Amino acid sequence: MTNNIMGRREFIQTTAKVIAATTLASSIGPPRALGAPAPVILITGTSSGFGFRMALTFARAGYKTYASMRNIAAENQESAQSLREAARHEGLFLEVIELDVTATEQAKGVVDEIMRREGRIDILINNAGAFVFTPIEIVPRDLWDFQMRTNVYGPMELVGLVMPHMRAQRVGLIIQVSSRVGSFVIPGISLYATSKFALEAASEAAHYEATHQGIDFAIIQPGAFNTEVNRNARKIFAAITMPLILKERPAGESHYRNFLQTLDGNFSGQPPRDPQEVANLALRIAETPRSERVLRYPVGDAWEIDPLRNRNQQIANFQRQAMQDAGFSHLYRP
Ligand SMILES: NC(=O)c1ccc[n+]([C@@H]2O[C@H](COP(=O)([O-])OP(=O)(O)OC[C@H]3O[C@@H](n4cnc5c(N)ncnc54)[C@H](OP(=O)(O)O)[C@@H]3O)[C@@H](O)[C@H]2O)c1
């Protein structure tokens, strides 16, 4: 988390820059019909990175934005404060609410509360995610649980909570933040890739199940962007991965350390792409007419996007055929 790693002044400067820079994004998308109610959106993981920028971007575009994050009273106090101040200064509808995506009861409470206040939820963005890196050989069961609870079970539980309301409204959009490693694997991030493959599989299946009920899924597949993801990954490594490995797989430690050094070397050269691009893409998807939306949206450098587009097309071709063979061609949608 930014605020744990940076000093307070650095964090405030960074968020102030983000708030200033994202002002441009508010002009994206067609204006809504006069008098139409503002769409209601719930975003997870808004304490930093893509989520922080998405919260500002949607609020500035006129959406009733519920920006959720965990630990508002502790580690994420400054992030919550920055969003609330931006809301106050700019007159935005931007509510910061507590949500740890792995906490089922809390998720139910959040969805119930938004429904009580607004009577609808138009968009869910499952953005929160954790990045665990470790060789697969030494992954203890609890580490599998941690990765999958954060990146798959929690997000899909939220999907299950909002879908009945969207079905009743006969309109809804669920944006899932996956990764380029939701389609490709890189050694050492196999656990994370497994979680994103799983998220994409579950989301694609739900897309076919729900599209005729007015609910769309859109999967964003980012390449490498300059967020807090790597710093947070190192925190997870120190606080969760290493203690679990030491407890469950003491023999794996030295192997892991060598491997980690190699990974560190690879990650340090990440291109500093602006995460605002991903927030802008999410808004663009929301403002795209249903008939023109597609399921997967790669975003990043061309060298990341082009192979993903090819891969997505291959999956789509195969998927269409598979659904036709299984008698479900009426549910297929690209
Ligand atoms: N940046 C990239 O290059 C990249 C590439 C592909 C995909 N992605 C995906 O993009 C999404 C956003 O990541 P980011 O790059 O913006 O990184 P980030 O700055 O680390 O943001 C991750 C967010 O997820 C939150 N989070 C983690 N576990 C949570 C939990 N149990 N409950 C609620 N919130 C939780 C974090 O909150 P805390 O501050 O409380 O930890 C933080 O707000 C993730 O799903 C990530 O896998 C990122």
Side-chain angles (χ1 to χ4, degrees), residues 19 21 44 54 69 84 86-87 146 156 158 160 164 170 180 222 225 238 262 277 285 296 318 322:
I19 287 169
T44 66
M54 285 171 179
M69 64 178 77
R84 283 176 177 143
F146 169 77
M156 291 315 295
L158 267 175
R170 295 207 62 78
R180 70 190 150 126
F225 281 84
T262 318
E277 242 184 281
I285 296 169
R296 287 184 169 85
F318 181 77

Side-chain angles (χ1 to χ4, degrees), residues 58-70:
F58 275 89
R60 285 172 174 156
Y63 288 67
K64 288 188 159 183
T65 304
Y66 286 86
S68 72
M69 64 178 77
R70 60 182 171 176

Side-chain angles (χ1 to χ4, degrees), residues 1 44-51 69-71 76 99-102 126-130 150-151 177-180 192 196 221-230 232 235 270:
M1 233 152 343
T44 66
T46 61
S47 66
S48 64
F50 300 147
M69 64 178 77
R70 60 182 171 176
N71 300 328
N76 289 328
L99 177 58
D100 179 330
V101 297
T102 65
N126 268 314
N127 163 74
T150 311
N151 289 12
V177 181
S178 174
S179 166
R180 70 190 150 126
Y192 176 73
K196 294 299 190 182
Q221 302 170 306
F225 281 84
N226 188 19
T227 64
E228 299 313 308
V229 69
N230 285 345
N232 280 335
K235 271 180 55 188
Q270 257 196 3

